[in-house]
Amino acid sequence: MTYVITETCIDIKDGACASVCPVDSIYEGGRMFYIHPDECINCGLCLSVCPVDAVSWEGDIPETKKGYIAVNRDFFGPEVTNMGSPGGWEKSRSTALDHPVVAAHQPQSA
């Protein structure tokens, strides 16, 4: 299990989560951040600093947000970015791409 970023990050992208991640497993998409499930070490720092409560522990994620488990995982696959497991985020790995669920989400403001 891992941590998951959900829809409250869409169009907010505060970035506090990415700045505290000790293994850089949080990657920036066009409208939100995504946690790489194979790179996350489950430390929980991202959860503790997110100002919009967008981060959830996969085991505790509400039923209404369970789809974001696949959104975070699939973001790295061939269907979206084809990043695979880059081994850590850096600015050059930011992309304007988003998972189709995120891209179709109604715009929201901070």
Side-chain angles (χ1 to χ4, degrees):
M1 290 197 185
T2 187
Y3 286 90
V4 175
I5 297 178
T6 63
E7 82 277 352
T8 53
C9 182
I10 298 172
D11 299 327
I12 304 298
K13 283 181 33 176
D14 174 76
C17 59
S19 66
V20 300
C21 180
V23 294
D24 296 322
S25 68
I26 301 174
Y27 293 75
E28 185 176 11
R31 294 180 66 194
M32 72 174 255
F33 284 92
Y34 300 83
I35 297 177
H36 196 297
D38 296 334
E39 295 177 2
C40 177
I41 60 169
N42 305 317
C43 68
L45 288 173
C46 55
L47 175 71
S48 69
V49 300
C50 181
V52 295
D53 296 324
V55 181
S56 294
W57 171 246
E58 184 178 337
D60 294 334
I61 196 165
E63 195 64 38
T64 57
K65 297 182 180 189
K66 284 199 183 283
Y68 280 87
I69 296 170
V71 165
N72 280 256
R73 180 191 63 236
D74 295 348
F75 173 77
F76 300 95
E79 313 84 28
V80 183
T81 65
N82 204 30
M83 278 188 200
S85 272
W89 178 83
E90 58 185 50
K91 191 66 175 168
S92 68
R93 291 194 175 111
S94 294
T95 178
L97 297 174
D98 279 299
H99 187 280
V101 168
V102 174
H105 197 280
Q106 287 292 339
Q108 54 189 18
S109 58

